[in-house]
Amino acid sequence: MTGSIITKVQARRVWDSRGNPTVEVEVATTSGMGRAIAPAGASRGTREASDLRDGGTKLAGMDVRVAVSNVTTLIAPALIGLDAGDQASVDAALIALDGTPLKSRLGGNAMVATSLAVLNAGATAKAVPLWQHVAEMSGQTPSIPLPEIQIFGGGAHAGRRVDVQDFMVMVPGASRFEESMEVTSEIYRAAGAIMKQRGHSIGVADEGGWWPVFDSNEQALDTLMQAIEAAGETPGDRVVISLDIAASEFGRNGRYRLALENRDLDRDQMIDLLGRWIDTYPIASIEDPLSEDDPEGMVAFTQAYGDRVQIIGDDYLVTNARLVSAAAKAGACNAVLIKVNQAGTVTESLQCMATAREAGYRSIVSARSGETEDTSISHLSVGLNAGQLKVGSITRSERMAKWNEVLRIAEALPPDAFVGGAPLANTWWGRTRHVSTNQ
Ligand code: PGA
Ligand code: ZN
């Protein structure tokens, strides 16, 4: 399509939600422009695409001057003349130009911002919304995802004041996306009121969830239960709990150190602990229950609990099709988190989603803890028919930009485009509730 031939690629340094520098890219075609910004993780998997940071002492070594200049000096000449509507070819050119396994030459941050800017430029050239462009590209029927929303932060996003990284809720019993936002807002408010009553000063962690002032991980879970009840809900009915353990942050060589409780667990004890939580609380989804270096634990945990809860690989699978295939063969996890900047390009993320679908894995499009106003992932979750979206809490505008964008997109789709509880159909929740299966 001549209107989508890339004529210009520009980059600038902008700033993310933690005040760190990041890369913004603009890709122009004769039909208009597409823009995107690279997000940044704090609890990163070792096998994900690596961001290029300048190092040194300035800005704690986090500057991205080299990554920005890589876009203008190396990437731009390679992309000008290519078709922004042909995402696969553009991404193949980026991957060839980089030539390293973890995108360390150009920088994962330079590459993901470019790849997403090309995606946006492709939609602009077609004069369709981004979600529609993605749906046409992936051959999927667009759907409105079930949100997974943080109430308490933790782990690397909250000074490790509690070991578990995300205490979240999902509202699979909601009949519309906006209903799940409303219910979650009530729960968030109730959780804040409880913390205030306990005399804690009210602050938030990196993704907008309440700052975790707890004596144990269980106390955080108990407080979440109280907040759900205080919001007028019966835990496990319309609302369920979802956890991101992010165990790679405190697990090494099959051993797990729960710093808050001053406890050291081996693999089996860690699995037993999570099993007790699953028995005690209405948990329908658990992410990274074991460390990324513990495939044995991940298989054992999936064998024990995979028919009851969704088990998501994040650090463990790093949006990598090959790792998803291997995990499926081994019987580890039954869902994959999709973070475009872990893969480094849109095409590789799509390949990972396709592999997940073939393996019967569910998928959850996810933001990073360092985010911006960029809303590309909201469109990806819809256009890829991912079924679930995780972008942090229900506060802070880098989070709300994504949720609010889904509300806008939902207006363009029929009411039954909302997947509701369908992604949790194979969990205890799906078996005990009526689940519509329009996914
Ligand atoms: P990160 O955390 O963006 O800091 O890696 C998000 C997650 O673990 O899901
Ligand atoms: Zn995670």
Side-chain angles (χ1 to χ4, degrees), residues 18 40-45 48 156-157 165-166 207 244 246 287-288 314-315 337 339 342 366-370 390:
R18 278 193 279 248
S43 67
R44 302 166 48 83
E48 66 177 88
H157 304 159
Q165 183 179 281
D166 294 271
E207 297 191 0
D244 183 359
E287 182 176 327
D288 282 349
D314 171 16
D315 293 352
L337 209 68
K339 291 169 164 169
Q342 280 182 330
S366 170
R368 300 308 302 248
S369 50
K390 176 190 180 208

Side-chain angles (χ1 to χ4, degrees), residues 221-250:
L221 281 162
D222 289 334
T223 309
L224 184 53
M225 292 290 278
Q226 286 165 23
I228 294 169
E229 281 161 8
E233 300 290 330
T234 306
D237 190 358
R238 188 164 56 154
V239 179
V240 296
I241 291 176
S242 166
L243 301 175
D244 183 359
I245 308 296
S248 306
E249 291 292 309
F250 57 86

Side-chain angles (χ1 to χ4, degrees), residues 295-318:
E296 206 178 315
M298 212 57 107
V299 170
F301 183 76
T302 307
Q303 250 163 25
Y305 299 105
D307 62 338
R308 287 167 66 181
V309 296
Q310 169 172 267
I311 302 171
I312 309 171
D314 171 16
D315 293 352
Y316 189 68
L317 299 174
V318 291

Side-chain angles (χ1 to χ4, degrees), residues 179-193:
E179 182 185 331
S180 60
M181 296 305 290
E182 195 173 302
V183 170
T184 306
S185 177
E186 296 282 15
I187 295 167
Y188 185 84
R189 202 178 309 277

Side-chain angles (χ1 to χ4, degrees), residues 19-299:
N20 288 326
T22 188
V23 183
E24 175 172 273
V25 174
E26 288 175 359
V27 169
T29 69
T30 48
S31 311
M33 191 264 282
R35 175 192 290 144
I37 310 176
S43 67
R44 302 166 48 83
T46 55
R47 290 170 288 198
E48 66 177 88
S50 64
D51 285 347
L52 188 57
R53 301 278 178 185
D54 294 352
T57 51
K58 199 180 131 222
L59 294 171
M62 299 291 278
D63 212 349
V64 291
R65 297 284 189 189
V66 177
V68 167
S69 86
N70 281 350
V71 176
T72 47
T73 59
L74 300 174
I75 293 176
L79 264 48
I80 288 168
L82 298 187
D83 184 349
D86 184 357
Q87 188 76 37
S89 297
V90 177
D91 286 338
L94 277 173
I95 292 163
L97 182 65
D98 175 73
T100 69
L102 293 183
K103 276 116 180 147
S104 52
R105 178 176 177 234
L106 297 174
N109 41 1
M111 286 178 74
V112 77
T114 305
S115 184
L116 283 167
V118 167
L119 186 73
N120 277 278
T124 305
K126 270 204 240 167
V128 298
L130 185 58
W131 58 265
Q132 192 179 323
H133 179 45
V134 172
E136 287 166 8
M137 210 159 86
S138 64
Q140 290 294 320
T141 304
S143 66
I144 298 297
L146 179 66
E148 196 178 348
I149 307 182
Q150 189 189 72
I151 305 298
F152 296 109
H157 304 159
R160 298 181 202 283
R161 284 300 312 272
V162 64
D163 304 292
V164 172
Q165 183 179 281
D166 294 271
F167 296 88
M168 296 170 287
V169 294
M170 299 170 92
V171 191
S175 51
R176 286 166 304 134
F177 181 86
E178 57 182 276
E179 182 185 331
S180 60
M181 296 305 290
E182 195 173 302
V183 170
T184 306
S185 177
E186 296 282 15
I187 295 167
Y188 185 84
R189 202 178 309 277
I194 293 168
M195 297 304 269
K196 217 181 223 164
Q197 272 161 23
R198 290 183 190 165
H200 303 315
S201 58
I202 301 278
V204 300
D206 280 5
E207 297 191 0
W210 297 114
W211 186 263
V213 189
F214 300 114
D215 298 328
S216 66
N217 294 288
E218 278 90 351
Q219 195 192 15
L221 281 162
D222 289 334
T223 309
L224 184 53
M225 292 290 278
Q226 286 165 23
I228 294 169
E229 281 161 8
E233 300 290 330
T234 306
D237 190 358
R238 188 164 56 154
V239 179
V240 296
I241 291 176
S242 166
L243 301 175
D244 183 359
I245 308 296
S248 306
E249 291 292 309
F250 57 86
R252 198 74 65 232
N253 302 322
R255 300 207 58 91
Y256 296 86
R257 164 113 198 113
L258 296 176
L260 180 63
E261 298 160 27
N262 196 20
R263 281 203 289 169
D264 276 302
L265 306 181
D266 65 21
R267 170 184 301 132
D268 293 341
Q269 289 168 323
M270 182 70 192
I271 292 173
D272 287 349
L273 174 74
L274 296 173
R276 275 202 301 285
W277 291 357
I278 291 171
D279 288 339
T280 312
Y281 305 99
I283 296 166
S285 180
I286 297 199
E287 182 176 327
D288 282 349
L290 285 304
S291 169
E292 64 167 42
D293 72 350
D294 191 0
E296 206 178 315
M298 212 57 107
V299 170

Side-chain angles (χ1 to χ4, degrees), residues 298-299 302 316-317 321-333 359 361:
M298 212 57 107
V299 170
T302 307
Y316 189 68
L317 299 174
R322 200 176 38 78
L323 293 178
V324 170
S325 292
K329 260 192 215 105
C333 306
Y361 276 39

